[in-house]
Amino acid sequence: MTHDVETYCNKEDIKVIERFFDLPLDHANPSGEKIRVFARNLIPRKKAKTQKEEEELPYLVYLQGGPGFEVGLMGSSGFAGEIHEQGYQIPVKGMVLQDPCVALRIRFVFWSHNPLLTLLAAVGCILQTLWLDPRGTGLSTPITPDTLPSRLKTDQDIADYFKFFRADSIVNDCEVIRKILLGNKEKEEDRKWTIMGQSFGGFCSITYLSFHSEGLKDVFITGGLAPLGDHPDPNYEWTVRKVIRRNEVYYQKYPRDKKRIRDICTFLDGNEVILPSGGRLSVRRFQQLGIDFGMQGGIDRVHQMVLRASNDLELFGKISYKALQTIENSQSFDGNPIYAILHEPLYCQGKSSRWSAHRVVQKHPQYFSWNHIKDLADTEPIYFTGEMIFPEMFDDYKNLRPLKGAAEILARDDSWGPLYDLDQLSRNEVHVTTATYYNDMYVPFELSQETASKIKNTEQYITNQLEHSGIREDPKDLMKRLFRLAKRECD
């Protein structure tokens, strides 16, 4: 079921169509309980001036990072603007040639005799975009403790409910929506769409390729070539190394923060510090500020919070409300609990996570354990942690506390279904074009390369000049490179 759409235009002359869909909670039981899924459709009006032109624009669907985050209203700036402005050249279909360079030569001959295709080759294919709030986020039946269905009475009920909010269900949502929006198109190729996945959205894209590649024209992935294993331990073995390296960079840039941070941890260790929302600022929660180290400017943002808290301790003997508010606002787990409760299960296929990050970090007490470090000299730093979920978070974050029992159940659950089909990926015929970041702190480069080698028809733009948030840091250059690479031209 779909709802009446609401349409308006923003000041940047982008037509916005807000769409709601009632979809099955469990796609294996389509007649059962429903949830609402929201998607915002954006159409550049200067590229499509009539209703007919709008309907003929192919779709690019953006899959958000996370898990558990919604998409804000996009406009004509940033990477959304580059997608609308640049477009990209859709490869010519129907040619089955072994040598891509031969195919390229034939394509150029074909275009040279067709003015319309010559124009497409020059400026690309203009797109309309669809920005999905993944189920459980934003306007898509969001999950927070206060919005859980009243029928969920026990921790086991809550855990069972959360299991419907992984990548496989998100992909199934996309397929239902695709058929609603494009199912009446006459040509099979026009019933397909292109997807772009950032970070966790890239994980979803690989799930899409595994089980519903028939619905895809092309796939773009930025910072999201997911590890294809069946549990998260290998991922955290690599990411802890990346986090250690980023801490080294931090302390090289801000050496005086070694003492500042130790003083802050000493204060937190000896005092019950309550955050504005009612959560607790423990030493471990303070260390979790390091999740920002992998983003552009993250090291500097953390330093500013350290400097403010340290200054407060010198002046007042406590951390001020404003400093606590700033720290709390930088940590999103209270408002986006899916991120905490499903972060490790998103790697699981038939195995349990068993608090993977917690187990891996415990192997490195010399970096991360305050109990180990606090008795050492002031010159010995304590390191921040990264994109890692710990069991004590369900005590420290007020809005995660009601989910603690469900989180424990899910950490032990080994019944997770498949997320990837390695055989299908090895035979993949859909072009996959990726931006891969050599220094990525969240999706380790080494595991990304293993994944790229297992997905046929994958081409990468690899750089050490951008962080995981590259699509926001330098959208113009990044989108240009991805769209150029998608042409699969040979020199």
Side-chain angles (χ1 to χ4, degrees):
M1 173 184 172
T2 60
H3 296 257
D4 290 338
V5 300
E6 185 172 348
T7 302
Y8 56 91
C9 292
N10 66 19
K11 65 179 182 180
E12 297 162 319
D13 209 25
I14 300 290
K15 181 176 180 179
V16 181
I17 305 174
E18 296 184 332
R19 304 179 183 273
F20 291 93
F21 306 86
D22 288 338
L23 303 180
L25 171 68
D26 178 3
H27 283 276
N29 180 22
S31 62
E33 181 178 350
K34 298 294 191 294
I35 61 171
R36 178 176 293 184
V37 173
F38 173 76
R40 187 177 280 114
N41 195 176
L42 301 185
I43 302 172
R45 295 184 70 197
K46 66 181 180 179
K47 307 294 185 181
K49 301 183 184 301
T50 67
Q51 183 68 29
K52 184 175 185 297
E53 289 176 338
E54 287 182 9
E55 292 173 355
E56 290 175 349
L57 290 181
Y59 274 92
L60 183 145
V61 181
Y62 180 76
L63 299 177
Q64 175 70 309
F69 290 98
E70 64 272 24
V71 182
L73 174 62
M74 309 298 288
S76 60
S77 60
F79 67 93
E82 295 305 320
I83 292 170
H84 290 148
E85 186 64 31
Q86 291 190 36
Y88 81 104
Q89 175 189 317
I90 296 176
V92 175
K93 306 294 182 181
M95 295 183 181
V96 182
L97 296 170
Q98 298 300 313
D99 184 350
C101 294
V102 173
L104 182 68
R105 287 196 293 271
I106 292 175
R107 239 186 351 252
F108 276 140
V109 171
F110 186 45
W111 283 333
S112 68
H113 290 87
N114 188 314
L116 174 59
L117 290 176
T118 302
L119 177 63
L120 281 173
V123 302
C125 178
I126 303 306
L127 301 158
Q128 61 178 309
T129 54
L130 194 71
W131 306 81
L132 182 75
D133 278 357
R135 54 168 52 202
T137 75
L139 297 174
S140 296
T141 309
I143 291 184
T144 51
D146 61 311
T147 62
L148 288 170
S150 59
R151 66 173 178 80
L152 305 179
K153 304 297 185 183
T154 67
D155 289 337
Q156 186 66 59
D157 291 340
I158 296 172
D160 291 341
Y161 186 73
F162 266 94
K163 292 186 72 172
F164 291 111
F165 291 82
R166 289 204 310 165
D168 46 355
S169 294
I170 294 170
V171 168
N172 285 327
D173 290 343
C174 289
E175 270 299 275
V176 174
I177 294 171
R178 180 183 67 84
K179 291 171 183 176
I180 291 171
L181 297 179
L182 299 177
N184 63 347
K185 297 287 186 180
E186 182 178 349
K187 297 179 181 178
E188 179 183 358
E189 194 64 22
D190 293 338
R191 295 194 293 272
K192 300 179 181 182
W193 58 18
T194 295
I195 60 174
M196 173 173 285
Q198 157 66 12
S199 191
F200 170 69
F203 292 34
C204 295
S205 300
I206 300 173
T207 301
Y208 212 142
L209 284 167
S210 293
F211 303 114
H212 293 289
S213 62
E214 71 280 0
L216 301 175
K217 288 183 179 179
D218 288 278
V219 172
F220 294 92
I221 294 174
T222 58
L225 280 175
L228 301 181
D230 53 13
H231 63 98
D233 284 19
N235 177 73
Y236 287 115
E237 293 286 356
W238 275 107
T239 55
V240 76
R241 303 180 202 179
K242 308 293 183 181
V243 171
I244 289 170
R245 174 57 186 150
R246 291 302 287 169
N247 274 274
E248 291 170 348
V249 172
Y250 177 91
Y251 283 119
Q252 286 168 5
K253 186 170 186 178
Y254 298 112
R256 294 176 66 179
D257 279 6
K258 292 180 182 179
K259 176 67 165 56
R260 291 187 178 115
I261 291 168
R262 288 180 61 97
D263 289 344
I264 293 169
C265 290
T266 298
F267 176 78
L268 296 177
D269 196 21
N271 295 272
E272 183 80 359
V273 179
I274 304 301
L275 291 158
S277 71
R280 181 178 64 201
L281 184 58
S282 63
V283 172
R284 181 57 67 86
R285 180 164 178 173
F286 183 75
Q287 288 177 273
Q288 291 159 18
L289 293 173
I291 193 173
D292 201 17
F293 277 3
M295 297 293 187
Q296 179 74 19
I299 280 177
D300 298 324
R301 286 189 290 272
V302 172
H303 167 70
Q304 293 303 314
M305 286 184 275
V306 167
L307 186 61
R308 179 64 180 265
S310 175
N311 190 60
D312 285 348
L313 289 177
E314 290 183 21
L315 290 175
F316 313 117
K318 65 178 183 179
I319 302 176
S320 68
Y321 179 94
K322 180 62 178 179
L324 294 175
Q325 183 185 56
T326 302
I327 290 170
E328 185 173 62
N329 288 344
S330 73
Q331 297 176 322
S332 58
F333 300 106
D334 276 320
N336 300 86
I338 286 178
Y339 188 64
I341 205 166
L342 288 183
H343 196 274
E344 292 194 351
L346 69 84
Y347 296 97
C348 293
Q349 302 179 89
K351 291 188 178 179
S352 60
S353 66
R354 297 182 297 112
W355 298 113
S356 176
H358 176 70
R359 289 185 288 101
V360 172
V361 166
Q362 282 187 318
K363 298 177 182 179
H364 304 275
Q366 73 275 27
Y367 298 117
F368 301 109
S369 172
W370 176 240
N371 285 334
H372 176 85
I373 295 168
K374 64 183 179 181
D375 295 326
L376 303 179
D378 282 354
T379 54
E380 294 298 321
I382 182 169
Y383 280 14
F384 291 95
T385 53
E387 189 180 38
M388 298 160 178
I389 304 301
F390 303 101
E392 57 267 29
M393 293 172 66
F394 292 85
D395 295 314
D396 289 344
Y397 292 80
K398 182 181 179 181
N399 217 35
L400 293 184
R401 289 169 186 163
L403 303 175
K404 181 177 180 177
E408 290 286 354
I409 291 170
L410 292 174
R412 298 191 300 270
D413 195 311
D414 61 3
S415 66
W416 301 100
L419 291 169
Y420 311 115
D421 183 333
L422 295 181
D423 183 58
Q424 172 61 32
L425 293 174
S426 71
R427 296 182 283 105
N428 172 58
E429 295 300 326
V430 179
H431 285 171
V432 180
T433 305
T434 83
T436 307
Y437 308 120
Y438 185 77
N439 295 315
D440 200 319
M441 195 182 83
Y442 311 98
V443 183
F445 176 79
E446 294 80 2
L447 298 182
S448 291
Q449 296 316 289
E450 291 182 13
T451 297
S453 70
K454 294 175 182 176
I455 305 176
K456 186 181 177 183
N457 279 321
T458 297
E459 292 285 349
Q460 300 180 79
Y461 165 55
I462 298 173
T463 179
N464 65 353
Q465 298 302 299
L466 295 172
E467 301 295 340
H468 186 74
S469 53
I471 195 170
R472 293 186 291 273
E473 295 165 34
D474 193 3
K476 191 174 188 65
D477 182 67
L478 185 65
M479 297 309 303
K480 180 178 70 175
R481 290 178 182 274
L482 287 177
F483 286 162
R484 181 184 297 161
L485 190 58
K487 297 177 184 180
R488 297 299 196 266
E489 294 178 349
C490 295
D491 187 348

